[in-house]
Amino acid sequence: MQPSPLSLPVLRDDDPEWLISPGLTDHPAAVAWMEARVAAIHDGTAPEAIWLVEHPPLYTAGTSARPADLTDPGRFPVFPTGRGGQYTYHGPGQRVVYVMLDLNRRGRDVRRLVAALEAWVIAALAEFGLRGEIRAGRVGVWIARPDKPPLPDGAMREDKIAAIGIKLRRWVSFHGISINVEPDLDHYAGIVPCGIQGHGVTSLVDLGLPVTMDDVDAALRATFPVIGTVMGPAEPA
């Protein structure tokens, strides 16, 4: 059964269409829906879209996923996907943001798109007084944890709060971002998240912030113009 996301009120005339699906959305159905929307965006029959969902507990494998990093294959369903990256977890309490943007209009630059998505997450986290950071060689957004014991080499531990993995089809993006609001962090134990050893994962609530999913959605909408700041304005369709 295909999802039927709800369209949210327009905030800015030049925004993509914002969509939300209440409850938990089946992952294969979400991918099929995105593929159809991406085709329509490319053909000019639908606008760009930002789709907010939650999934039931599952793991996804990106194009760089290593079999050894799936440490408990029977724990949750595993879905291979064509997005970039390695293994990650999706589940209740995590905001998944599917980003369907037309890079034919925004510039055919994948690295700039990833940088824009990272900057967007950092800006949204700043709405709650939280400092998100990026690290060379580690896509996603990280939180420094001076409150935790350092790594064996003395380096400060860092926890990942947001993962990013995208796929392009005819220069229209899909897949996107996941931000940990209040998921069960123990569910990450069945994988090596994003193939990175030593560092961990965290969430807004784990960090002591009484933040709801609605709060995060509002912060994402308020800070979305960061995308245009990094990538430049979209050309008219």
Side-chain angles (χ1 to χ4, degrees):
M1 182 176 179
Q2 284 290 309
S4 298
L6 305 174
S7 185
L8 297 175
V10 175
L11 292 185
R12 292 168 291 264
D13 289 342
D14 58 346
D15 270 2
E17 182 181 16
W18 281 73
L19 303 161
I20 189 167
S21 287
L24 301 180
T25 300
D26 176 74
H27 187 268
V31 173
W33 192 94
M34 281 192 290
E35 289 176 338
R37 182 61 177 249
V38 164
I41 292 169
H42 181 269
D43 293 343
T45 58
E48 296 177 312
I50 305 295
W51 184 20
L52 308 173
V53 307
E54 287 180 82
H55 288 303
L58 58 93
Y59 298 130
T60 63
T63 54
S64 302
R66 298 180 296 241
D69 288 343
L70 181 61
T71 57
D72 187 358
R75 185 165 190 164
F76 297 125
V78 180
F79 296 99
T81 179
R83 62 158 176 81
Q86 301 186 41
Y87 283 105
T88 195
Y89 166 76
H90 295 315
Q94 181 191 75
R95 175 52 84 209
V96 175
V97 186
Y98 287 132
V99 179
M100 288 155 275
L101 299 178
D102 188 355
L103 270 62
N104 296 291
R105 297 170 51 211
R106 295 178 177 269
R108 295 183 175 186
D109 189 326
V110 179
R111 290 185 180 181
R112 185 174 291 181
L113 173 61
V114 172
L117 296 177
E118 290 174 333
W120 182 24
V121 172
I122 289 169
L125 295 177
E127 296 284 294
F128 308 109
L130 189 61
R131 180 184 176 87
E133 300 178 313
I134 58 174
R135 292 290 180 264
R138 287 193 260 143
V139 173
V141 178
W142 298 80
I143 305 294
R145 299 303 303 267
D147 54 314
K148 289 187 172 183
L151 294 172
D153 64 0
M156 183 184 298
R157 288 190 183 271
E158 297 169 339
D159 286 347
K160 195 168 193 175
I161 195 167
I164 296 173
I166 60 169
K167 183 176 180 178
L168 297 177
R169 182 165 295 165
R170 296 190 291 182
W171 290 102
V172 180
S173 70
F174 58 122
H175 297 280
I177 300 166
S178 60
I179 301 174
N180 288 339
V181 182
E182 193 178 8
D184 186 339
L185 296 178
D186 288 341
H187 288 179
Y188 280 90
I191 57 172
V192 178
C194 302
I196 296 169
Q197 301 276 4
H199 299 292
V201 291
T202 190
S203 70
L204 287 157
V205 172
D206 179 56
L207 293 168
L209 296 170
V211 175
T212 68
M213 196 70 75
D214 288 344
D215 294 331
V216 171
D217 292 348
L220 287 166
R221 296 201 77 187
T223 56
F224 181 77
V226 168
I227 295 286
T229 301
V230 175
M231 299 191 70
E235 297 177 357

